Amino acid sequence: METYDYDLFVIGGGSGGVRASRVAAGLGARVGIAEDYRVGGTCVIRGCVPKKLFVYAAHFRDDFEDARAYGWTVDEPSFSWPTLMANKDREIARLEGIYGRLLEGSKVKLHKARARLLDRHTIAVGTDKVTAKTILVATGGWPVMPAIPGIEHCISSNEAFELPDLPRRVLVVGGGYIAVEFAGIFRGMGSQVTISYRGDCVLRGFDQDIRATLQAELAKKGFDLAMGSVVESVVKQPNGALSVTLCTDTATRLLECDAVTFATGRAPNTAKLGLREAGVELTQDGAVRVNEFSRSSVENIFAVGDVTNRYALTPVAIREGQAFATTEFGSTRIPVDHATIASAVFSQPPVGTVGLTEEAALKRHGTVDIYKTDFKALKHTLSGRDERTMMKLIVDTKSGRVLGAHMVGADAPEVIQGIGIAVKAGLTKAQFDATCAIHPTAAEEFVTLKEKRTVAA
Ligand code: NDP
């Protein structure tokens, strides 16, 4: 029988890779993992976690304003970017330490080096060479920067987490998750923010009511919304400022700013890994093609997380890693369940969503009932803030089953996490209605919605 150095070798120490390696080790496998940067991956080091810390920081701007109507007097608040950065860095270092200790405690051997497949069982790790019976690719994704003149002066979310100073004027390019989240972050800290998006309304792919509500709120908050525009070029001036040429179908606009952040999507990290040479099939967009057990076209090579470009979300990568390890090293075969995944956008106000959009529900079910509300949250009756909360349920007319739940408004991610259980469980509108409300909350609207609009495809 052939012997290998490891039963499992994982390339990439992010959420999916770390979970898979720990579960496999717990099931008795000899596991090695390679990470050439910091253990924790995008989510912990330069994604979800530091982003959420920044979002908290950004929210204080509006909170200080809202506090006045509640009797609080706050001296002119000031914000220190270096303080936030130092505290964020300390927390990320702490989490990185925890990830490292978890690996150590699970007896997973960490190789702090870049790995590359030499063949389907052999991996070059830095200057070493190791062999493994099974290999898991969990290398994540990387921001895509379009090839425009001056792109070298622009940053992605990676660098936005490390900026030495807060830019006074920021252009954010894109209309997806990262664009609206970072736009809100920069505005909250005090920057003037322009959003340039090639489409006409942010968050393409989300329910139309979410998109329209969020865009209206962004406009109210004073974002300069350059919809239908593309960045043609960026020129760095001698004083360090960036001159950006923004073009629409009908006009050209010159914009001066101090930072240009591209949030124009992320691509799977599959280059220079020796994957094709080892026979691993990639999709057209460069992702590792896998089946429902995360197995690639090569029998002993698997992939989980963003590198597979299924759902680029941390909890999904973790589930994929767990399912892979349990299937390969345990006694149960677990395919990954990708149905009805809830997600959130930490914009201001935030978005929470689970299940089908109205459009998708109509396509799949023919006729649906729409329950929608749009109101001023109780908090803002005193604060006077002109912010609307939008909540919407999409219900299958025939079965009464709730197919989708969508919200824009304070705490939407927290609310939708709970509602997600009900939608995943296939509960009906009648069962939502049978649930007693918690009063006064915004979330109670999800169990008290009465007004219905029936829509047919
Ligand atoms: P998204 O795919 O969400 O958005 C990319 C945006 O960039 C879209 O608006 C797209 O426009 C635009 N775009 C793409 N290419 C170009 C181009 N060449 N020129 C101009 N605009 C362009 O990607 P993100 O980078 O925002 O995020 C990547 C993924 O990471 C998300 O899809 C999500 O899965 C995950 N993520 C999740 C978060 C969360 O859970 N809260 C937070 C951050 C990221 P168009 O709409 O026209 O295609």
Side-chain angles (χ1 to χ4, degrees), residues 51 174-178 181 197-198 204 263-266 312-313 344 346:
K51 182 273 306 289
Y177 282 81
I178 297 180
E181 290 183 344
Y197 174 46
R198 63 184 178 183
R204 186 169 63 81
T264 43
R266 297 173 59 88
L313 299 169
F346 295 92

Side-chain angles (χ1 to χ4, degrees), residues 18-238:
V18 167
R19 173 59 66 93
S21 54
R22 289 178 55 214
V23 172
L27 290 165
R30 295 167 306 134
V31 184
I33 186 168
E35 172 58 59
D36 67 344
Y37 184 54
R38 298 172 68 182
V39 180
T42 303
C43 173
V44 175
I45 307 296
R46 46 192 169 196
C48 326
V49 176
K51 182 273 306 289
K52 188 78 187 280
L53 296 175
F54 280 13
V55 168
Y56 282 127
H59 265 285
F60 284 102
R61 166 168 298 271
D62 290 351
D63 292 344
F64 286 127
E65 271 177 35
D66 294 345
R68 290 195 196 118
Y70 285 87
W72 288 93
T73 307
V74 185
D75 292 340
E76 192 53 43
S78 67
F79 169 69
S80 162
W81 177 259
T83 303
L84 174 66
M85 290 298 261
N87 291 345
K88 179 267 291 178
D89 288 344
R90 202 184 52 234
E91 176 57 11
I92 300 311
R94 187 183 74 86
L95 292 174
E96 183 188 4
I98 290 176
Y99 266 70
R101 284 194 293 281
L102 284 173
L103 287 173
E104 218 177 287
S106 311
K107 307 225 168 357
V108 174
K109 169 99 171 86
L110 174 63
H111 297 251
K112 295 277 299 172
R114 199 166 174 78
R116 184 170 50 86
L117 295 187
L118 296 176
D119 62 45
R120 51 187 61 184
H121 287 289
T122 314
I123 309 115
V125 195
T127 50
D128 292 342
K129 208 190 269 186
V130 299
T131 58
K133 183 161 188 267
T134 302
I135 292 169
L136 178 69
V137 181
T139 46
W142 196 255
V144 177
M145 304 285 275
I148 54 153
I151 193 72
E152 66 278 12
H153 306 306
C154 306
I155 59 171
S156 71
S157 55
N158 285 350
E159 294 78 29
F161 285 119
E162 306 296 338
L163 287 174
D165 303 298
L166 176 66
R168 193 165 60 81
R169 300 157 303 176
V170 183
L171 170 65
V172 177
V173 187
Y177 282 81
I178 297 180
V180 295
E181 290 183 344
F182 266 95
I185 286 168
F186 282 124
R187 175 198 161 268
M189 315 299 198
S191 308
Q192 285 168 32
V193 182
T194 301
I195 302 177
S196 160
Y197 174 46
R198 63 184 178 183
D200 58 359
C201 189
V202 294
L203 294 187
R204 186 169 63 81
F206 283 69
D207 188 90
Q208 290 300 338
D209 283 309
I210 285 202
R211 301 178 67 193
T213 307
L214 181 64
Q215 184 142 315
E217 292 305 324
L218 293 177
K220 278 190 224 163
K221 284 190 188 293
F223 288 93
D224 168 21
L225 299 178
M227 295 293 123
S229 71
V230 293
V231 176
E232 201 176 73
S233 64
V234 178
V235 175
K236 191 166 191 164
Q237 302 298 340

